Amino acid sequence: MYSFIQLLLSEIISSFSGQWLSQYMMTIVMIPLLFLMVTAGYVLFVPVENRRPEFSSMKGFFHFVVDVVIYAIPMLIVYALVHMQTTAATLLGVPANQNYAHYIMILEGDVVSLIQEIATPLLTYASGFFYLLMFPFLLTFTFLLLVYLQRHKAVQEFVVAFILIYLLAFPFYILFPVHVTGYTLSGVSPLLYNLSPFIAEGVRIVDPDLNNCFPSLHTALSVMAMIMVLHNVKSRRYQAFAVITTAAILFTILYLGIHWLSDLVGGTLLAIVCCLIAFRYSEHLFSIYRWIVAMLSWKLKGPALPCVGCNRRINFDSVMQCDYCGTEYNIKGRVFSLLKRFRKRFSP
């Protein structure tokens, strides 16, 4: 009996581990590759005069990691929530086979199929590289670069735009799912998913039904990153790289049999709108989160945090204010000011 249970458990564990490895193999392979690409990006795109000497010390590197974690947490939370779309669709009663691709076909026909007339194996592999690796590199490295350069206002704008893009795209993915062109149009082949079963499994982790087309997140996020680079990074080399990479990504999403032209247009407009909102209102939208982080740092006696006003690191106390530049982190005054303006406008 004992040997039977032991054999059964071993079979379950081996089956589970095999399934887990096959499902997440692409992610396991991509993480070290992305790390190497970020390291190469640091060497290529960060001028020597802009490199932080304190970064080479353990204390400086620790401060950098703390800053990255602080800004990454809200993005990761939204990313996790948005990828619960299957649960949300079930709760809303959306049929599992819902597909609005035929409306897009009425709008643009099969014009996307013309792009695959130039298909070659080399172009397909190059496009897969840009779609799978250059896209996350552009997002990740731009975010890390802004944090590294201590452009805290720019990082706030990046985070706010990232979150808005996901939140605004989320209702479309639940209520108006659109299937990929490679499995919809007869003249379009699903080139990306045919490259490798690992790639097909990896893509289905974030898009199980391959119906998160409109608007295109690859378009919206890459265009957003490009705009942030052009607006906040002075390096001409990285600006040119961001523009070229974004253009290549926009080509690949059509060439690989994934998105429609409408998805590209919708994703571009979404990125522009979210960037404009972030440039104008990120300070207000991010103030509550900054206050929460400052409160936790004070209560838990955590590490010194960077001031968005002067970039100096400060240890917060009950005053919630920077001793160097006077930047306030307490939102009570801002809330009272908003309430006062509201009452003044609507009072008889």
Side-chain angles (χ1 to χ4, degrees), residues 94-243:
V94 178
N97 59 347
Q98 192 92 304
N99 181 15
Y100 287 87
H102 56 281
Y103 290 108
I104 295 183
M105 289 178 64
I106 295 173
L107 178 66
E108 64 182 63
D110 61 349
V111 66
V112 176
S113 62
L114 298 176
I115 299 177
Q116 286 196 356
E117 291 183 359
I118 61 172
T120 64
L122 179 60
L123 183 58
T124 300
Y125 280 108
S127 298
F129 173 77
F130 271 88
Y131 185 89
L132 296 171
L133 280 173
M134 295 304 291
F135 168 71
F137 171 78
L138 178 64
L139 286 178
T140 303
F141 186 77
T142 300
F143 169 70
L144 294 176
L145 180 64
L146 293 175
V147 176
Y148 177 81
L149 296 177
Q150 296 183 305
R151 302 290 304 277
H152 297 293
K153 184 176 183 298
V155 181
Q156 289 180 174
E157 293 170 350
F158 184 99
V159 174
V160 169
F162 180 96
I163 291 174
L164 287 175
I165 286 172
Y166 266 100
L167 292 182
L168 292 177
F170 189 45
F172 287 93
Y173 294 161
I174 296 176
L175 301 175
F176 306 102
V178 176
H179 285 246
V180 299
T181 56
Y183 293 125
T184 303
L185 293 174
S186 58
V188 178
S189 175
L191 296 177
L192 178 68
Y193 313 114
N194 292 340
L195 282 175
S196 167
F198 292 132
I199 292 176
E201 287 288 342
V203 172
R204 288 184 182 275
I205 293 175
V206 295
D207 187 7
D209 298 316
L210 302 181
N211 60 359
N212 290 352
C213 279
F214 184 88
S216 165
L217 279 183
H218 265 68
T219 298
L221 293 173
S222 58
V223 171
M224 180 273 290
M226 180 190 70
I227 293 174
M228 292 294 168
V229 171
L230 296 176
H231 190 262
N232 294 305
V233 178
K234 296 180 180 179
S235 171
R236 296 286 185 183
R237 182 184 300 178
Y238 191 57
Q239 287 181 349
F241 172 84
V243 171

